[in-house]
Amino acid sequence: MISARFAETLDPALSDAEAIRLERRASGAAQADRTVLVEAGGRRLRFDIFVVDPEAFSFEDVRVWQRLLVIGYGSTVYCVELGTRETQLHELDSYFGSFHVGDGHCLIASGCEILRLGRNGSKIWQSHVVGADGVIFGGVDGDRISGEGQWD
């Protein structure tokens, strides 16, 4: 089983974990803004997230979907294929809100839109604006997504 969680900088589990840097563009920073720890079969990987531009950090979440690590932080979704470590980044039009993950889908809600990922982390589609201050998933039934768009 593969587990993933946000970790504090002083977490002793990070000391022997192989470090992988995630950033939208090179920052040169030495201290990560946030760190994710992945553990699988006694092996540990740490993903250090570096943010260059000021962003809204309303919500954060990390999931393992199939063999894909998916991290929502700031206004970016980071996707890492754990076998190859191939990484894809998706910039959202607003802040990251939440994930809705099922066997056949990985959906991401931002403050105003929905993004659907493929199994390799690529973007399958992105909605138009469906909310102005948050999108809340209600459920997924086949190809129908229900939920609410906040407009306040």
Side-chain angles (χ1 to χ4, degrees):
M1 180 170 173
I2 302 172
S3 68
R5 64 178 173 85
F6 283 99
E8 298 305 320
T9 310
L10 300 176
D11 188 327
L14 296 177
S15 63
D16 65 345
E18 179 185 346
I20 298 165
R21 200 173 171 103
L22 298 176
E23 55 192 339
R24 289 193 309 204
R25 64 177 188 273
S27 68
Q31 178 69 35
D33 293 286
R34 204 68 173 101
T35 298
V36 171
L37 178 65
V38 176
E39 297 178 278
R43 189 163 170 218
R44 293 182 177 145
L45 296 172
R46 97 186 240 173
F47 294 87
D48 293 327
I49 301 171
F50 295 85
V51 178
V52 178
D53 300 318
E55 298 185 42
F57 299 97
S58 303
F59 305 99
E60 63 184 24
D61 199 358
V62 59
R63 301 284 176 98
V64 176
W65 178 57
Q66 314 292 335
R67 296 270 312 147
L68 189 68
L69 175 69
V70 187
I71 305 166
Y73 185 69
S75 61
T76 306
V77 174
Y78 304 85
C79 301
V80 182
E81 205 293 327
L82 291 170
T84 63
R85 297 196 191 145
E86 183 177 332
T87 302
Q88 296 190 47
L89 282 74
H90 302 286
E91 293 186 42
L92 303 171
D93 287 343
S94 183
Y95 59 84
F96 166 78
S98 65
F99 293 122
H100 191 286
V101 178
D103 289 339
H105 68 272
C106 181
L107 301 172
I108 294 120
S110 75
C112 61
E113 64 195 344
I114 298 172
L115 172 72
R116 181 177 179 186
L117 298 179
R119 292 185 191 278
N120 66 353
S122 63
K123 178 171 66 172
I124 293 176
W125 56 260
Q126 188 167 358
S127 73
H128 296 287
V129 174
V130 293
D133 187 22
V135 176
I136 300 166
F137 290 116
V140 176
D141 182 17
D143 62 354
R144 175 167 269 184
I145 300 168
S146 63
E148 297 178 30
Q150 302 293 319
W151 292 97
D152 47 73

